[in-house]
């Protein structure tokens, strides 16, 4: 493990096991997966999951533990420094009625697998192998309470003895943790730990079906593993598995060092109302689990990028609804809310000539309603935004000792509907998307003064156009660098085009002659292709460095920017 900015992180977490670990199984039941949770929380830099639902430790099946190890060896992904290997299985070896041979063949298969992983480097140097002691399997709604109980205790005893006899192998005690939950469910946020209820298994019920935990249980499993490589690391690495480690684990639960009460950081935002600060992240928005491709709200005003305006800052009232159902019929969590944002650009100055000085500033405030709903592997986002603009300009001629100050106001309305599809490939995230929307911009009538003419009153019709866009967002896996540093690269490419665009008529009247003139501006087709490149490096000292480049590929010289940022966590 390594410490980086206060966080503990292993390099690669490799998991072997059964349906309690198999992502394909947990996805099919609509529940969280503890391996994925550890990655999302930053506990593991990367993960490899070889678990298969229904797997056993005994030899003789294509999905058995020895075959999972063979599959990993064929991937040519050798164990490297600070890697963590986890075995979490035995449920199917015991079965619903108990093992017919009292786990003799399963014990042989398990011990052989551990010896094989040790030989492959799972316990070399800074590496560790976690072997997981089971919860009381007999308490499952679909499991007999006779033979399975005694076999769970015998299985866990065997794992403890195996860990004690093998250096750098640690027995992770799920039995004690879940016994505390079975004994006092309400203390740990549960109302039901005896019967299955898929619709409540992400809220206050332990079992999703007759033999499997739901998302609440998976969250606790992830917390226990996290505890064993962080706050519980010292005693877990030094004490022999048995009565003393059970006592220390209970002590950590009692004093709050191991927190089992539910705080939903499972990669989803908890249902309910929350108040969020916006603009504290390089990408401004309301995020689900910090995953940028799931952004529920973002102020997408290309003008603030092109004009060098400050990043938006504000707050959002965000409300999330819990999904319902289970398995393929489960509806995903959705979010909606109101965002209030301000952004602007101050004190932009230039010299029109040796004697002329010009400065201007722009400030805008936006109110946006957004709705965000994942469905069928896609993410749908709808956003309605009103933006109030205020421009302030000041000009001066030092020779003539003349000055003018003008203030103009205007409003923008924007509606956009976007659909995204997030894809993962070898640790990278690729998110293609498409959108359609309409924008309407109106400048309020205003009388403007100049240095060399009388005042002129301007007014105009509204500018309105429909836009369509397609794009691709890319995010690399986290790259580990010597010294505990982490680097992540990202990029985006998007193209926007106007489907229709209304002409704008401008009216002008100079106060000196009261002559009113008008001119019609035929709006050409809008075409913008935006490229964004970014790099984010987390240094072990707590410093975070970021570099971003953005450009309109159809106007690189006039619309491109580079930003270099650094911040320190303390």
């Amino acid at each position: 493990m390594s410490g980086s900015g206060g966080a503990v992180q292993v390099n690669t977490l490799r998991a072997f096991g059964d349906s309690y670990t198999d992502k394909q199984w947990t996805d099919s039941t609509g529940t969280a997966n503890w391996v994925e949770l550890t990655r999302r929380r930053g506990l593991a830099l990367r993960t490899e999951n070889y678990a298969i639902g229904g797997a056993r430790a005994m030899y003789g099946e294509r999905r058995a533990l020895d075959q999972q190890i063979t599959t990993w060896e064929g991937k040519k992904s050798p164990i490297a420094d600070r890697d963590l290997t986890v075995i979490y299985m035995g449920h199917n070896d015991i079965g619903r009625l108990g093992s017919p041979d009292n786990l003799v063949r399963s014990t042989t298969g398990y011990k052989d697998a551990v010896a094989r992983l040790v030989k492959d480097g799972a316990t070399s140097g800074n590496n560790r192998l976690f072997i997981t002691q089971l919860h009381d399997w007999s308490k499952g709604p679909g499991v007999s309470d006779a033979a399975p109980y005694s076999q769970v205790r015998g299985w866990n005893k065997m794992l403890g003895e195996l860990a004690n006899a093998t250096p750098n192998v640690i027995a992770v005690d799920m039995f004690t943790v879940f016994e505390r939950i079975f004994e006092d469910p309400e203390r740990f946020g549960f109302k039901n730990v005896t019967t299955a209820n898929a619709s409540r298994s992400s809220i206050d019920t332990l079992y999703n079906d007759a033999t499997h935990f739901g998302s609440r249980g998976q969250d606790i499993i992830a917390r226990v593993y996290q505890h064993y490589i962080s706050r519980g690391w010292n005693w877990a690495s030094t004490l022999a598995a048995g009565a003393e480690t059970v006592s220390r684990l209970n002590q950590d639960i009692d004093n709050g060092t191991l927190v089992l009460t539910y705080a939903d950081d499972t990669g989803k935002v908890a249902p309910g109302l929350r108040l969020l600060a916006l603009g504290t992240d390089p990408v401004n928005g309301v995020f689900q689990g910090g995953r940028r491709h799931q952004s529920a709200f973002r102020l997408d005003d290309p003008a603030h990028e092109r004009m060098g305006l400050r990043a938006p800052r504000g707050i959002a009232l965000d409300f999330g609804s819990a999904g319902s159902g289970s398995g393929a019929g489960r509806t995903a969590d959705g979010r909606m809310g109101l965002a209030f944002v301000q952004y602007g650009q101050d004190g932009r100055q230039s010299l029109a000539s040796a004697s002329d000085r010009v400065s201007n500033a722009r400030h805008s405030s936006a109110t946006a309603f957004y709705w965000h709903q994942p469905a069928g592997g896609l993410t749908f986002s709808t956003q309605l935004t009103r933006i109030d603009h205020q421009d302030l300009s000041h000009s001066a001629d030092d020779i003539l000792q003349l000055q003018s100050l003008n203030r103009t106001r205007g409003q923008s309305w924007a509606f956009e509907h976007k659909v995204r599809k997030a894809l993962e490939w070898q640790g990278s995230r690729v998110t293609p998307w498409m959108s359609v929307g309409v924008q309407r911009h109106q400048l309020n009538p205003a009388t403007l003064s100049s240095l060399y003419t009388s005042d002129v009153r301007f007014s105009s019709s509204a500018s309105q156009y429909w836009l369509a866009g397609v794009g691709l967002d890319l995010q690399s896996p986290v790259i580990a660098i010597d010294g505990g540093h982490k680097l992540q690269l990202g990029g985006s490419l998007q193209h926007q085009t106007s489907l229709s665009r209304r002409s704008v008529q401008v009216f002008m009247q100079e106060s000196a002659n009261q002559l009113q003139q008008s001119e019609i501006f035929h709006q050409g087709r809008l075409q913008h292709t935006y490229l964004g490149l970014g790099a984010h490096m987390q240094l072990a000292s707590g410093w975070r460095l970021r570099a971003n480049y953005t450009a309109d590929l159809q106007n690189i010289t006039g619309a491109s920017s580079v930003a270099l940022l650094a911040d320190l966590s303390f």
Side-chain angles (χ1 to χ4, degrees):
M1 65 175 182
S2 66
S4 176
V8 176
Q9 186 178 68
V10 301
N11 187 18
T12 298
L13 186 156
R14 290 179 182 83
F16 302 92
D18 53 30
S19 53
Y20 269 69
T21 303
D22 178 9
K23 187 176 185 299
Q24 185 173 348
W25 172 266
T26 54
D27 284 352
S28 72
T29 60
T31 58
N33 180 278
W34 70 263
V35 180
E36 287 298 295
L37 298 184
T38 58
R39 179 179 63 83
R40 293 177 186 176
R41 293 170 180 171
L43 178 65
L45 190 61
R46 62 182 66 85
T47 59
E48 296 178 10
N49 191 341
Y50 299 96
I52 305 174
R56 304 182 186 192
M58 69 172 65
Y59 292 107
E61 294 182 353
R62 294 184 60 183
R63 56 189 173 184
L65 178 55
D66 68 306
Q67 294 301 309
Q68 293 180 26
I69 296 174
T70 298
T71 299
W72 158 62
E73 291 173 339
K75 294 285 188 180
K76 305 299 182 183
S77 174
I79 295 173
D81 187 51
R82 297 195 344 266
D83 282 4
L84 173 65
T85 305
V86 177
I87 304 176
Y88 185 18
M89 67 189 330
H91 310 93
N92 299 301
D93 296 87
I94 298 171
R96 296 191 181 211
L97 299 175
S99 166
D101 69 349
N102 199 28
L103 295 168
V104 172
R105 289 181 297 162
S106 298
T107 298
T108 299
Y110 199 103
K111 288 183 175 180
D112 288 351
V114 168
R116 190 173 168 187
L117 290 170
V118 169
K119 183 179 179 180
D120 286 337
T123 60
S124 300
N126 293 315
N127 303 326
R128 295 294 184 271
L129 172 60
F130 283 0
I131 56 178
T132 311
Q133 296 172 315
L134 306 182
H135 69 277
D136 186 356
W137 175 246
S138 70
K139 286 187 169 69
V143 182
S144 167
D145 60 0
Y149 175 76
S150 62
Q151 290 183 358
V152 167
R153 298 308 301 263
W155 182 257
N156 288 344
K157 183 174 182 293
M158 179 272 294
L159 295 182
E161 292 172 348
L162 180 59
N164 293 340
T166 314
N168 291 342
V169 175
I170 297 174
V172 175
D173 186 0
M174 292 292 174
F175 184 90
T176 297
V177 170
F178 282 97
E179 280 301 286
R180 296 293 301 271
I181 294 171
F182 287 127
E183 292 168 2
D184 191 1
E186 291 189 1
R187 175 181 174 182
F188 302 105
F190 287 95
K191 294 182 179 179
N192 179 2
V193 296
T194 57
T195 60
N197 186 339
S199 65
R200 302 289 298 182
S201 64
S202 63
I203 304 170
D204 56 13
T205 297
L206 182 59
Y207 286 96
N208 181 72
D209 61 26
T211 55
H212 296 91
F213 295 158
S215 293
R216 282 295 318 273
Q218 286 280 337
D219 172 75
I220 290 172
I221 291 169
R223 289 170 181 268
V224 173
Y225 284 124
Q226 183 169 359
H227 185 68
Y228 268 76
I229 70 164
S230 55
R231 293 179 174 180
W233 177 257
N234 286 339
W235 64 257
S237 300
T238 55
L239 298 179
E244 193 170 0
T245 57
V246 170
S247 175
R248 290 298 300 269
L249 188 57
N250 277 315
Q251 178 181 327
D252 287 354
I253 294 173
D254 289 333
N255 64 24
T257 305
L258 171 54
V259 180
L260 301 179
T261 50
Y262 194 43
D264 188 4
D265 53 359
T266 63
K268 301 176 182 178
V269 179
L273 185 66
R274 58 182 186 154
L275 184 66
L276 298 173
L278 303 180
T280 57
D281 194 271
V283 177
N284 301 284
V286 175
F287 304 100
Q288 292 214 13
R291 306 292 291 277
R292 296 184 183 181
H293 73 282
Q294 293 181 328
S295 171
F297 166 75
R298 179 176 176 179
L299 183 63
D300 260 332
D301 180 6
H304 93 268
E305 297 283 352
R306 294 196 302 269
M307 298 183 65
L309 304 181
R310 292 195 312 271
R313 296 287 187 269
I315 60 173
L317 285 172
D318 180 68
F319 178 78
S321 59
S324 61
S326 62
R330 184 182 186 275
T331 61
D333 300 346
R335 306 208 68 79
M336 64 177 61
L338 279 174
F340 306 92
V341 178
Q342 290 189 335
Y343 61 103
Q345 168 228 40
D346 288 321
R348 196 172 190 180
Q349 299 185 8
S350 63
L351 293 175
S353 67
S355 60
D356 295 348
R357 290 182 289 109
V358 178
S359 67
N360 57 71
R362 163 174 289 187
H363 299 276
S364 299
S365 59
T367 303
F369 168 79
Y370 59 87
W371 173 67
H372 169 81
Q373 182 65 55
L378 301 174
T379 300
F380 297 89
S381 298
T382 300
Q383 185 171 310
L384 176 65
T385 307
R386 174 189 165 97
I387 309 176
D388 290 294
H389 305 285
Q390 177 178 279
D391 289 327
L392 189 66
S393 64
H394 174 262
S395 56
D397 188 321
D398 293 339
I399 295 178
L400 299 180
Q401 295 185 343
L402 296 175
Q403 296 190 51
S404 68
L405 180 66
N406 291 302
R407 189 188 308 271
T408 57
R409 301 178 186 273
Q411 302 82 37
S412 295
W413 286 90
F415 174 84
E416 182 187 57
H417 186 70
K418 181 180 286 187
V419 58
R420 307 175 181 87
K421 173 67 174 179
L423 306 170
E424 290 197 16
W425 179 73
Q426 295 186 350
S428 298
R429 183 172 299 276
V430 181
T431 308
W433 58 266
M434 60 188 304
S435 67
V436 63
V438 60
Q439 293 187 18
R440 185 179 190 273
H441 306 281
Q442 177 71 63
L443 182 68
N444 294 353
T447 299
L448 306 181
S449 61
S450 73
L451 297 177
Y452 312 114
T453 67
S454 61
D455 294 347
V456 179
R457 183 168 181 79
F458 289 90
S459 61
S460 72
S461 60
S463 171
Q464 182 171 307
Y465 46 87
W466 286 84
L467 287 169
V470 294
L472 188 71
D473 297 331
L474 304 172
Q475 189 176 58
S476 76
V478 177
I479 303 168
I481 302 174
D482 290 344
H485 307 330
K486 294 176 290 184
L487 174 66
Q488 189 165 36
L489 306 175
S492 66
L493 183 66
Q494 59 176 296
H495 179 75
Q496 287 186 330
T497 184
S498 56
L499 303 177
S500 66
R501 198 174 183 199
R502 180 185 299 173
S503 297
V504 176
Q505 187 172 13
V506 177
F507 301 91
M508 300 155 285
Q509 185 175 32
E510 188 175 350
S511 60
N513 53 30
Q514 293 298 306
L515 177 65
Q516 186 177 64
Q517 303 179 58
S518 67
E519 186 171 349
I520 296 177
F521 294 88
H522 298 285
Q523 302 291 290
R525 187 176 185 180
L526 282 174
Q527 294 270 20
H528 293 291
T529 303
Y530 296 106
L531 171 69
L533 300 173
H536 172 189
M537 176 174 283
Q538 180 76 50
L539 304 180
S541 59
W543 282 97
R544 182 172 60 169
L545 308 177
R546 288 173 280 159
N548 296 288
Y549 170 76
T550 59
D552 185 344
L553 297 184
Q554 296 174 351
N555 182 23
I556 293 179
T557 57
S560 62
S561 66
V562 176
L564 300 174
L565 304 165
D567 55 75
L568 174 65
S569 300
F570 59 91

